[in-house]
Amino acid sequence: MDPLAAIRETFFQECEEQLAELESGLLAMEGGDQDPETLNAVFRAVHSIKGGAGAFSLEALIRFAHVFETALDEMRSGRLAATPELLKTMLRAADVLADLVRAAH
């Protein structure tokens, strides 16, 4: 296998792990978890996917992840409240992110 292809495959494997972390964290938050570290882990998952996507010029994935990451950063700063409605939207956004990762793969 071409070394770049191997690195790309590793990126997609790591994306699956990050997507699982993302969903787990958002579900915990939806269930009432207010630990700032849970939100930080969710943010890091999206940030990691965005960064890896940048390495492979996966523009649709980068753009969506950037908007998602920005909203999560607003939550981390306290400018956006983690309401039940927002968390439902975040879970839907996580599904879209997963779809974009799979489409890019």
Side-chain angles (χ1 to χ4, degrees):
M1 179 182 277
D2 160 6
L4 186 56
I7 292 169
R8 185 177 166 100
E9 192 57 38
T10 299
F11 162 69
F12 284 113
Q13 289 170 356
E14 290 174 358
C15 279
E16 291 303 320
E17 294 167 15
Q18 296 297 334
L19 290 167
E21 179 79 20
L22 172 60
E23 183 177 22
S24 170
L26 288 172
L27 288 171
M29 291 170 63
E30 188 179 47
D33 183 345
Q34 296 188 7
D35 182 355
E37 188 47 42
T38 302
L39 179 53
N40 287 334
V42 165
F43 175 86
R44 282 191 306 271
V46 175
H47 181 74
S48 295
I49 291 170
K50 184 186 90 171
F56 297 104
S57 300
L58 302 171
E59 295 302 323
L61 186 52
I62 294 165
R63 283 192 305 277
F64 187 85
H66 178 72
V67 173
F68 197 173
E69 177 186 58
T70 300
L72 290 166
D73 201 36
E74 291 291 305
M75 290 172 68
R76 293 191 321 165
S77 71
R79 290 185 296 266
L80 189 59
T83 64
E85 296 80 18
L86 178 65
L87 291 169
K88 284 186 190 334
T89 300
M90 292 286 180
L91 283 162
R92 285 193 301 268
D95 289 342
V96 171
L97 186 64
D99 290 344
L100 288 168
V101 166
R102 290 182 188 107
H105 189 212

